[in-house]
Amino acid sequence: MLKGVRTQSPAELLAQVRAHGRVPRHIAIIMDGNGRWARERFMPRTFGHRSGMTSVRDVIEGSIEAGIEYLSLFAFSQENWDRPADEVGALMSLLEEYVEREADELHSAGVCVRVLGDLTRLTAAAGEAVGRVTGRTARNDRLILNLFISYGSRDEIVRAARALATDVVEGRLAVDDIDADRLGARLYTAGCPDPDLLVRTSGEQRISNFLLWQLAYSELYLSPVLWPDFTRSDLYDAILSFQARERRFGRVSV
Ligand code: FPP
């Protein structure tokens, strides 16, 4: 829904989501459109990223209220390292600022923060901030928040394949025992159910190397809203759309 034409309040939308009952366990979001949002305001791209943090906060709160168990946010891709150095630096600082500033609130809300991706490339300060918040919130279970940072899905699958090959070479695993479950157990997302719903904002219609394995049967919801304008009401719209669908997982309806 476009901004400005909404007729229902967040509370009314939430009541509809709850009344339906079938809430997705796991929602994944490709947060896109920060740069365009900033350009529309004649501001630098980093202004869009900073404003996007408000949406992150609102969507986390909205997810908790709706009873979502897992929320996966694509915050920084491996390809994003190729952006201009000042934008990469600003995104790293924002990440560090976000986890430092929000840690108390996330912890008291019962959020378990996990950071998934090639963390060896993070700045030392960002890596330390990530370690602090993930350690501190590790035992929480109201919402599992997966933040994908320096993440690329093909690389994740290659790493999993390499780990399985190592197990075979070292005699811990037979080739015939390699199956989807064993490969899934070597991904960063091991132990998480696959996303029920993938949301991408800003009108783009691509997966962009995000969770290629895990999204096999996920429902897709493409929103025209630019990420800094995305609120919990938009999240509830996405859930209501999901609730109206029939999931068949490749089978026929009964
Ligand atoms: C895509 O917009 C967004 C990103 C590359 C970064 C997402 C980061 C945030 C929302 C803020 C920080 C969040 C956390 C969790 C710390 P884009 O720059 O590709 O936008 P464009 O397609 O309009 O150029």
Side-chain angles (χ1 to χ4, degrees):
M1 178 161 317
L2 295 173
K3 217 175 153 66
V5 295
R6 187 179 294 289
T7 53
Q8 288 170 299
S9 69
E12 285 167 332
L13 290 167
L14 177 62
Q16 282 179 42
V17 163
R18 285 198 176 138
H20 186 284
R22 189 171 61 97
V23 174
R25 286 186 76 193
H26 184 175
I27 298 184
I29 306 184
I30 301 177
M31 308 180 289
D32 197 9
N34 293 349
R36 277 162 282 167
W37 187 90
R39 197 172 58 220
E40 283 174 2
R41 288 157 182 77
F42 307 101
M43 296 295 280
R45 297 175 55 79
T46 48
F47 179 69
H49 296 317
R50 178 166 286 284
S51 303
M53 284 167 70
T54 309
S55 301
V56 169
R57 202 170 303 125
D58 200 49
V59 163
I60 292 172
E61 286 174 16
S63 297
I64 293 173
E65 286 185 346
I68 305 301
E69 293 174 60
Y70 298 83
L71 177 66
S72 289
L73 300 179
F74 199 7
F76 190 92
S77 70
Q78 280 187 330
E79 293 73 23
N80 287 155
W81 288 112
D82 297 328
R83 290 192 176 194
D86 60 341
E87 184 173 345
V88 170
L91 277 165
M92 281 301 116
S93 309
L94 265 189
L95 166 68
E96 194 187 321
E97 182 187 322
Y98 173 79
V99 294
E100 296 282 36
R101 205 180 60 197
E102 306 285 313
D104 282 346
E105 213 168 305
L106 289 168
H107 185 49
S108 52
V111 176
C112 169
V113 182
R114 295 181 184 160
V115 179
L116 293 74
D118 178 7
L119 305 186
T120 60
R121 298 186 70 180
L122 298 190
T123 57
E128 283 160 22
V130 160
R132 277 194 294 277
V133 76
T134 52
R136 181 153 175 228
T137 63
R139 279 198 253 276
N140 296 337
D141 61 2
R142 189 146 182 229
L143 174 75
I144 309 296
L145 174 65
N146 293 324
L147 294 179
F148 287 81
I149 313 244
S150 187
Y151 172 83
S153 181
R154 285 186 170 179
D155 181 59
E156 178 189 31
I157 294 169
V158 167
R159 284 166 190 260
R162 214 179 274 146
L164 291 175
T166 305
D167 283 350
V168 170
V169 168
E170 295 180 357
R172 289 187 295 272
L173 182 67
V175 169
D176 286 346
D177 288 337
I178 295 177
D179 58 13
D181 285 345
R182 283 201 169 84
L183 196 142
R186 295 307 189 121
L187 300 174
Y188 294 127
T189 50
C192 270
D194 289 341
D196 302 292
L197 176 64
L198 172 74
V199 176
R200 181 167 189 151
T201 63
S202 88
E204 299 294 346
Q205 304 182 21
R206 286 185 298 279
I207 302 291
S208 299
N209 202 15
F210 187 47
L211 298 176
L212 299 177
W213 177 274
Q214 298 88 336
L215 293 174
Y217 291 104
S218 307
E219 295 292 325
L220 306 183
Y221 182 85
L222 304 172
S223 165
V225 177
L226 301 178
W227 179 252
D229 285 332
F230 197 88
T231 64
R232 72 184 76 189
S233 292
D234 298 297
L235 180 77
Y236 297 153
D237 283 339
I239 299 174
L240 289 167
S241 163
F242 170 87
Q243 289 174 328
R245 301 182 198 182
E246 180 196 14
R247 299 185 78 196
R248 292 194 298 274
F249 299 94
R251 298 184 288 265
V252 292
S253 354
V254 283

